[in-house]
């Protein structure tokens, strides 16, 4: 299943920028985020950029910023479960991403 997903992302990347239509707005997915997903199947929560953190299910710009702010204030995450200490991040979000989070 993962190879199919990665091939789909690669195909979409090569066809041009992707857009996600919202209520009268168009938000482009950062190319760096798409390429990061193609190049690796894990997101290191201790080093990931805002765009890379948004590859996690349920993490948008606000939660990605909150993760980075928490990391800057408290230092590196020791365990994946420490991510739940970030405001707006719950255990459900951690569990749904556990297989793609690295430290």
């Amino acid at each position: 299943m993962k190879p199919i997903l990665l091939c789909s992302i690669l195909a979409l990347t090569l066809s041009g920028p992707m857009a996600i239509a919202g209520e009268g707005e168009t938000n482009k997915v950062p190319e760096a985020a798409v390429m990061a997903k193609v190049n690796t199947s894990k997101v290191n929560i201790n080093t990931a950029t805002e765009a890379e953190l948004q590859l996690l299910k349920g993490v948008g710009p606000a939660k990605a910023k909150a993760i980075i702010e928490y990391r800057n204030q408290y230092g590196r995450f020791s365990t994946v479960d420490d991510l739940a200490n970030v405001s707006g991040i719950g255990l459900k979000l951690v569990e749904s991403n556990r297989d793609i989070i690295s430290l």
Side-chain angles (χ1 to χ4, degrees):
M1 182 76 167
K2 286 184 180 182
I4 293 172
L5 176 63
L6 293 176
C7 290
S8 299
I9 291 171
L10 181 59
L12 290 170
T13 301
L14 294 175
S15 66
M18 296 187 304
I20 302 170
E23 297 176 19
E25 297 179 8
T26 301
N27 299 316
K28 292 188 179 186
V29 175
E31 278 189 56
V34 174
M35 291 311 296
K37 186 62 178 174
V38 170
N39 292 332
T40 180
S41 60
K42 298 272 185 179
V43 175
N44 184 322
I45 58 173
N46 285 316
T47 61
T49 64
E50 185 179 329
E52 291 166 337
L53 288 167
Q54 290 181 55
L55 295 171
L56 299 172
K57 296 171 226 147
V59 176
K63 287 184 181 176
K65 286 178 185 173
I67 293 168
I68 292 171
E69 288 173 11
Y70 182 92
R71 191 173 66 198
N72 290 339
Q73 184 174 358
Y74 297 103
R76 298 176 62 84
F77 294 97
S78 298
T79 68
V80 172
D81 290 327
D82 287 345
L83 187 58
N85 294 329
V86 177
S87 178
I89 307 288
L91 287 174
K92 184 176 178 181
L93 189 143
V94 173
E95 286 303 320
S96 68
N97 288 289
R98 188 173 295 279
D99 59 332
I100 61 170
I101 294 174
S102 70
L103 298 172

